[in-house]
C-alpha cells in the first residue's frame, strides 16, 4: 500500500487524496454510479422538503446514501475481479452477481424506506 508508513495528519491527507481518486475513478468508469448520484441529487431536496421530522429526513437521505455506498463497494469488487482476469470464470461471475445483488437490495431498501415514510405508515 502506498505511503502506509505515514502517520498522523499526513496519513489523513493521503487518505483524502486516495478517496478523491476513488470517486473520480468510479465517476469515469461506472455509469450506474453516475445514475445513482443523479438519483441522490433529485431525492435529497425532496427528502428535505417531504420529510416531516429530522429523523424522517435523515432516513430518506440515508437510504440513498446507502445505495451509493453499496455501489462503490460493488464497483471495487468488479475492478478487482477484472484485474485478476477478463476470462469467464464461475467464481468471478458469482462475485460480480453477489455485488449486483447487494446494490439491488439497497435500492429495494431505499424504495421501502421512501414508501413507508411518504405514505405515513403507522406502526
Amino acid at each position: 500500500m502506498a505511503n502506509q508508513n505515514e502517520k498522523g495528519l499526513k496519513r489523513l491527507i493521503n487518505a483524502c487524496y486516495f478517496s478523491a481518486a476513488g470517486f473520480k475513478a468510479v465517476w469515469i468508469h461506472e455509469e450506474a454510479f453516475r445514475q445513482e448520484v443523479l438519483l441522490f441529487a433529485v431525492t435529497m431536496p425532496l427528502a428535505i422538503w417531504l420529510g416531516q421530522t429530522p429523523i424522517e429526513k435523515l432516513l430518506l437521505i440515508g437510504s440513498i446514501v446507502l445505495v451509493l455506498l453499496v455501489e462503490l463497494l460493488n464497483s471495487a469488487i468488479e475492478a478487482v475481479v477484472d484485474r485478476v482476469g477478463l476470462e469467464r470464470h464461475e467464481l468471478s461471475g458469482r462475485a460480480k452477481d453477489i455485488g449486483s445483488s447487494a446494490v439491488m437490495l439497497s435500492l429495494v431498501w431505499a424504495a421501502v424506506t421512501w414508501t413507508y415514510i411518504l405514505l405515513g405508515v403507522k406502526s
Side-chain angles (χ1 to χ4, degrees), residues 10 17 20-21 24 29 38 42 45 57-58 63 96 102 112 114:
K10 181 66 173 166
Y17 282 113
K24 180 180 178 184
H29 298 287
L38 178 60
V42 169
K57 293 174 186 184
L58 185 64
S63 66
K96 288 184 171 191
V112 167
W114 278 76

Side-chain angles (χ1 to χ4, degrees), residues 97-113:
D97 291 346
I98 292 168
S100 178
S101 296
V103 173
M104 184 188 74
L105 187 59
S106 71
L107 285 164
V108 169
W109 181 252
V112 167
T113 300

Side-chain angles (χ1 to χ4, degrees), residues 81-101:
V81 167
D82 289 346
R83 165 63 176 92
V84 170
L86 295 176
E87 71 279 353
R88 290 196 175 272
H89 190 279
E90 178 188 349
L91 293 176
S92 297
R94 189 184 313 164
K96 288 184 171 191
D97 291 346
I98 292 168
S100 178
S101 296

